[in-house]
Amino acid sequence: MKFGLKYIASVIAISGGLFAYAAHAELASTKLETPSQVIASQVVSFKQDAQLIRDTYEPQLYTLPAFKMGHYGLRMYRQTLDPKYQSAIWADMARVASKLNTVAYEMNTPEQIATYSQKRLDEYVGDKDERSQRRYAATKKMPEYIYLGVGLLGSMARANEYGLQHKEDHKLREIIRRYDFKKYATDTEMIHAWAAQLANQVYWLRQLGEQDVVDDFIVAFKQAYPDSLDGTLTDQQYMNKIYGMTHIIFAASEYYQHPINESDFQWIYDYYRKNVDTILKRSKEDVLAEVGINFLLAGQDDDPVVLAMRKAIQSSINKEKGMVPSVDGDFGLVHGEHRNVLAIMLLDWQQPHVAPTVNNQPKIFSSVPYGLIVKPME
């Protein structure tokens, strides 16, 4: 199937006679090509540009904060199984262990949770951007969500993926069970504020064998963002919708570990194909890369949407700086890590790997940070 892409190409000549489309240019009618119609040198150029970004980030990878270092290293390891990323993964384990140790030993009573959550929520006070204001307004009704969803669940799920758990796992699960997560996952204001995060969290709960509210969330998400009202959404809310959809796919794959059956999420893929022009026009590079990767996880490498997203990302790369800048033109490595690792994955996709795990890569886990232990055999 062919789809119209209203995309004026501000065409610039680059080495080797290749051409790139200027990202977010004014619109004009053209046709989405399939990769088989693209010259081989252009396909190679995607991989070359992915390598350009790697060459920018990897010499400085271990100067990044632990969260960013782990975010990059884990994704690259799951793509390549290259042992050079093992130290970044260990740093991520240490971050997870530190978080779970704090919860288990220092911050678990209702009073401590309330104090922590309010302090974190107060950080949004005074922020003028739409996202922060929505998060504050929605979450002040249920501030414990900051503690539970944004902090605890993600760390428990990451340890679980590694084949680990905290030594006080039973205590952490007791904390989770104090709360009905359906309250957060089906609240329209919360979805408008935290769509992608909630998508992650409902799947993490399922992964951990705790409360399963995945289906409830998806029903509520569709009700919060009916397609018929897309035209009424601000750009921030439109991106929040697309982010939520991409993270449903990512979370279902346990973050690039398992392939996805398109038919299980047909409503998402159908939406992408129908609205590719709007997505390109209204979304930042992070979102564009995530949409493309959703198709790659489903084995749809030849889908025209993938090529459209690759061209948009490729055209946004600053070749001198070797990275995709922010929409404001910022080239900071820390703030740019998310969009740039996604750009690498989109432009040079490998395949999902269930990794790293205690069973499959035991050398990585020969020494684990204090507080983490190997999960008992089920």
Side-chain angles (χ1 to χ4, degrees):
M1 183 179 295
K2 301 287 186 182
F3 301 87
L5 171 57
K6 295 181 176 178
Y7 199 54
I8 277 188
S10 206
V11 185
I12 52 173
I14 61 176
S15 61
L18 300 174
F19 294 90
Y21 286 98
H24 312 304
E26 296 193 3
L27 304 175
S29 295
T30 184
K31 292 287 185 180
L32 286 175
E33 304 167 279
T34 61
S36 62
Q37 296 170 312
V38 180
I39 57 174
S41 59
Q42 188 178 43
V43 175
V44 170
S45 77
F46 292 144
K47 295 182 179 293
Q48 290 173 335
D49 283 339
Q51 188 59 48
L52 178 66
I53 300 172
R54 285 193 195 94
D55 291 342
T56 299
Y57 266 85
E58 297 195 1
Q60 303 182 75
L61 179 59
Y62 294 103
T63 69
L64 300 181
F67 177 79
K68 295 290 186 177
M69 185 194 311
H71 186 274
Y72 183 101
L74 181 59
R75 280 149 182 76
M76 288 294 95
Y77 189 83
R78 285 178 174 169
Q79 282 282 283
T80 67
L81 299 181
D82 192 323
K84 71 180 179 180
Y85 301 112
Q86 290 182 7
S87 294
I89 292 167
W90 204 95
D92 184 65
M93 276 195 289
R95 178 191 63 82
V96 167
S98 177
K99 179 65 178 180
L100 296 181
N101 286 338
T102 299
V103 171
Y105 302 123
E106 301 174 22
M107 194 169 57
N108 49 64
T109 68
E111 295 77 17
Q112 290 168 333
I113 291 171
T115 299
Y116 169 83
S117 299
Q118 191 61 50
K119 182 179 179 181
R120 286 288 309 276
L121 186 61
D122 287 345
E123 293 174 6
Y124 290 103
V125 175
D127 288 345
K128 302 301 183 183
D129 62 288
E130 181 179 354
R131 185 181 73 169
S132 295
Q133 290 183 342
R134 284 185 177 275
R135 288 185 172 178
Y136 180 78
T139 318
K140 68 181 180 181
K141 302 178 298 183
M142 45 189 90
E144 71 281 357
Y145 168 78
I146 299 272
Y147 170 96
L148 180 66
V150 179
L152 177 58
L153 280 176
S155 296
M156 288 182 69
R158 179 63 55 77
N160 178 270
E161 291 167 10
Y162 289 149
L164 303 172
Q165 65 182 35
H166 194 266
K167 63 197 309 184
E168 298 289 344
D169 183 67
H170 67 285
K171 187 175 184 178
L172 302 180
R173 290 176 182 270
E174 287 173 359
I175 297 171
I176 292 174
R177 292 167 189 166
R178 295 177 196 166
Y179 305 96
D180 180 3
F181 207 84
K182 185 176 179 179
K183 177 176 69 172
Y184 319 118
T186 59
D187 182 276
T188 298
E189 287 187 50
M190 289 291 284
I191 292 170
H192 286 166
W194 302 96
Q197 291 75 19
L198 286 167
N200 291 340
Q201 292 148 12
V202 296
Y203 274 95
W204 287 337
L205 275 170
R206 174 184 280 182
Q207 175 185 324
L208 292 167
E210 294 295 330
Q211 186 181 10
D212 191 339
V213 290
V214 170
D215 294 340
D216 298 288
F217 167 73
I218 290 176
V219 168
F221 178 89
K222 291 178 179 179
Q223 293 173 346
Y225 285 118
D227 297 348
S228 60
L229 296 183
D230 280 358
T232 70
L233 298 177
T234 63
D235 284 347
Q236 189 278 330
Q237 277 297 283
Y238 187 74
M239 281 192 287
N240 193 62
K241 172 178 178 172
I242 306 302
Y243 258 135
M245 295 167 76
T246 63
H247 278 246
I248 289 170
I249 303 294
F250 288 160
S253 76
E254 292 192 5
Y255 274 81
Y256 324 110
Q257 293 193 94
H258 306 282
I260 292 296
N261 291 320
E262 179 181 334
S263 59
D264 292 341
F265 302 96
Q266 199 63 59
W267 63 281
I268 294 179
Y269 290 98
D270 287 348
Y271 180 90
Y272 291 157
R273 293 186 177 106
K274 182 179 179 181
N275 296 279
V276 60
D277 294 351
T278 305
I279 293 170
L280 282 163
K281 181 182 177 182
R282 301 189 70 185
S283 302
K284 296 189 299 184
E285 283 77 13
D286 307 61
V287 180
L288 301 183
E290 291 194 357
V291 169
I293 295 169
N294 275 186
F295 280 88
L296 297 172
L297 279 166
Q300 301 296 330
D301 303 48
D302 291 342
D303 194 287
V305 175
V306 175
L307 182 59
M309 298 305 156
R310 282 174 167 164
K311 283 184 173 181
I313 293 299
Q314 184 179 54
S315 69
S316 70
I317 298 172
N318 182 296
K319 297 298 179 70
E320 291 184 6
K321 298 289 188 178
M323 64 184 297
V324 179
S326 73
V327 293
D328 298 324
D330 180 72
F331 291 98
L333 289 179
V334 174
H335 293 297
E337 180 274 329
H338 181 266
R339 86 180 74 93
N340 279 279
V341 75
L342 289 167
I344 294 169
M345 294 171 68
L346 176 67
L347 295 174
D348 189 17
W349 179 255
Q350 308 296 312
Q351 61 178 313
H353 293 102
V354 180
T357 69
V358 169
N359 292 332
N360 294 339
Q361 289 83 25
K363 288 185 179 180
I364 296 179
F365 302 96
S366 59
S367 172
V368 298
Y370 174 81
L372 296 180
I373 59 174
V374 176
K375 285 194 305 182
M377 295 291 291
E378 295 181 356

